[in-house]
Amino acid sequence: MEQFINITLDLLVGFGETLKIFLVTLAFSLPLGLIIAFGSMSKFKPLSALTRAFVWVIRGTPLMLQLITVYYGPGLIFGRVLLTSVSAVYITFSINYACYFSEIYRGGIESIAKGQYEAGQVLGMTRRETFFKVVLLQVIKRIIPPMSNEIITLVKDTSLARVVTYYELIYFAQRYIKNAGLLWPLFYTAVYYLVFTALLTFLFGKLEKKLSYFN
Amino acid sequence: MNILEVKDLRKRFGDNEVLKGIDLSLKKGEVLSIIGSSGGGKTTLLRCLNFLEIANNGEIVVADKTVFSATEGEKPTIAPEAQLSFGLVFQQFNLFPQYSVIENLMLAPKLRAKRMGTGEKIEDIEERAKQLLATVGLTEKANEYPCRLSGGQQQRVAIARALMLSPDILCFDEPTSSLDPELTGEVLRVIRSLKDSERTMIIVTHEMEFARHVSDRVIFISDGVIEEEGTPEELFGNPKSEKLIAFLSAGQE
């Protein structure tokens, strides 16, 4: 029993590391995604082409490969390590998720009827006012389901960070196999992921309900 | 005095010339109906007046001030106050769904007061919104959201919203075309009541009966030109051009 409690607490520390990746990634990728979305919708063709090509590369290659490239790449090219594993993980995850979010934002923004912008214009509102005061909340309402999907995927993708020696939940559990011959902590980690995703699902459900007063 | 003068307005989409030189003038308090078959250019004319489309050529003068002028091949000049000289009521209402009825009315004036630093008080804007809601008969719906209103009620809110900014000329783009027949009456009654309060209005419409009764003048647009123009009695009672005769008789079948 004492062993179970100790391992539970130890894994909780590992989950804390997982949570750090999750929160830092969201903090950077949510706004960065909006910038990328504007880039890919730009009327300036070279910018939109460049942005779309970037999104294609990031979405078209495995996150694990991107992590390895960012962490080990500088060492192979310049002969010295530039990034700690922590910053490599934060940078790679943020860029990767920003690209996925940008496509969700773009879909949401483009789904808003032209009439909303036109109504704003004929009422003398600026384009900026129309976007932030009229369009944005409608976009947020529409993208909640795909965003909640993507954010729940992020919770589990954090486990990839261990390929560049970032010590997160799965890594903590695997040590028990090597050091104590205990296999069960590895499977036990599922409970942490499940509880956390249940919490997220609950929060997104709440948000969806809060915005259900209009359509 | 003419509140509106439009001179030689032309609009092209690619090679397709939709407006081929429109001239018209409007006196203060006058109600002008624009009729004509779909694709003839009447909605494009209205959209050009509201700067949702930018005309390639022509001049728009409101109360003796040139608010828009363009010459083929050159960059048009648009006066800063041009947009608010006109108000527009859309066929599809285009209310802001996340705002209540009264917030829909107040949003643009509130933002404008803040942007221009006019010092206009929120209470004054709210007072004006309440008066306009009373005008369109929706006082009790002030705190409802658009999705809970019928099409006719939504369109009446849209009319009140357009009036919040006191446009010199209020335009209607087929205001009853997306309404069920039993709901058109309430919208047409509101428009008629505005006529009694000396509003200058331009109405693009398919409701010939309504155009006949509410307008001071009617123009018939076909293929991007004003084919015929006159009082409702003249146009409906004694149409001259073959196109108008064909258009009116097709509507009766």
Side-chain angles (χ1 to χ4, degrees), chain B residues 115-169:
Chain B
R115 175 166 19 95
M116 314 285 270
T118 57
E120 191 177 16
K121 290 200 194 73
I122 302 271
E123 298 86 68
D124 295 343
I125 296 173
E126 189 170 356
E127 192 49 44
R128 200 160 76 242
K130 282 179 178 161
Q131 281 171 11
L132 283 169
L133 278 185
T135 308
V136 298
L138 287 172
T139 301
E140 75 284 6
K141 299 286 185 193
N143 295 310
E144 283 288 3
Y145 287 91
C147 60
R148 309 250 320 208
L149 303 180
S150 72
Q153 290 169 335
Q154 289 190 48
Q155 192 59 302
R156 282 147 68 196
V157 174
I159 293 170
R161 184 176 69 171
L163 289 171
M164 281 297 285
L165 294 141
S166 318
D168 296 305
I169 299 135

Side-chain angles (χ1 to χ4, degrees), chain B residues 149-190:
Chain B
L149 303 180
S150 72
Q153 290 169 335
Q154 289 190 48
Q155 192 59 302
R156 282 147 68 196
V157 174
I159 293 170
R161 184 176 69 171
L163 289 171
M164 281 297 285
L165 294 141
S166 318
D168 296 305
I169 299 135
L170 184 58
C171 303
F172 294 85
D173 184 12
E174 303 188 21
T176 58
S177 290
S178 49
L179 296 176
D180 293 333
E182 73 267 25
L183 298 176
T184 60
E186 57 185 275
V187 172
L188 297 181
R189 266 195 302 281
V190 166

Side-chain angles (χ1 to χ4, degrees), chain B residues 201-218:
Chain B
M201 296 190 277
I202 300 178
I203 308 167
V204 165
T205 183
H206 288 302
E207 302 270 346
M208 294 305 147
E209 243 351 81
F210 176 69
R212 184 195 283 250
H213 288 114
V214 80
S215 339
D216 300 304
R217 219 145 40 86
V218 180

Side-chain angles (χ1 to χ4, degrees), chain A residues 148-162:
Chain A
S148 85
N149 224 352
E150 207 56 49
I151 286 171
I152 282 170
T153 303
L154 171 60
V155 175
K156 295 161 295 167
D157 273 358
T158 54
S159 61
L160 290 170
R162 50 178 275 287

